[in-house]
Amino acid sequence: MPIYEYKCLGCDHLFEKIVKLNETPNCPECDSGELEKQFTVASVSTSRTRAKSFQTARARANSVKKEQDVAQAEYERKHIEDHH
Ligand SMILES: [Zn+2]
């Protein structure tokens, strides 16, 4: 089911709603049925948000990996030094 972003023409309230086929939602703020579907804006901002959080997650994973590598290298170095 698609999620659409709507802007209420009555009170300018922006909201997202899962909309069943041919169902028209009402504004949750003022119950107005005069809504402007923000479909394009919503899909662009959503994919941007996804890309951003993906990047953040990947950057975080990379830095964790780096820390693990450093810790591993340090451990090995100490281990070798201890046994000399
Ligand atoms: Zn409204």
Side-chain angles (χ1 to χ4, degrees), residues 3 6-7 9 17 24 27 29 32 34 38 40 42 45-46 49 56 58-59 63 65-66 68-69 74 78 84:
I3 298 175
Y6 288 93
K7 182 183 170 188
L9 298 179
K17 201 164 169 85
T24 312
C27 173
E29 289 291 306
S32 167
E34 288 184 52
Q38 311 278 300
T40 315
S45 77
T46 304
T49 309
T56 309
R58 203 170 52 179
S63 86
K65 177 89 171 67
K66 217 178 277 171
Q68 282 172 348
D69 287 349
E74 204 150 314
K78 274 195 188 134
H84 266 262

Side-chain angles (χ1 to χ4, degrees), residues 32-83:
S32 167
E34 288 184 52
L35 306 168
E36 197 178 78
K37 204 187 264 183
Q38 311 278 300
F39 184 73
T40 315
V41 173
S43 65
V44 168
S45 77
T46 304
S47 65
R48 249 190 229 146
T49 309
R50 278 210 196 110
K52 188 143 194 275
S53 62
F54 179 71
Q55 266 176 3
T56 309
R58 203 170 52 179
R60 199 176 295 143
N62 277 344
S63 86
V64 167
K65 177 89 171 67
K66 217 178 277 171
E67 276 167 33
Q68 282 172 348
D69 287 349
V70 169
Q72 179 69 24
E74 204 150 314
Y75 171 79
E76 280 170 13
R77 202 174 55 223
K78 274 195 188 134
H79 193 73
I80 291 163
E81 279 169 6
D82 282 352
H83 288 80

Side-chain angles (χ1 to χ4, degrees), residues 11-30:
C11 70
D12 278 351
H13 182 64
L14 272 172
F15 61 99
E16 287 176 356
K17 201 164 169 85
I18 297 170
V19 181
K20 291 174 200 155
L21 200 64
N22 293 331
E23 190 188 60
T24 312
N26 282 4
C27 173
E29 289 291 306
C30 70

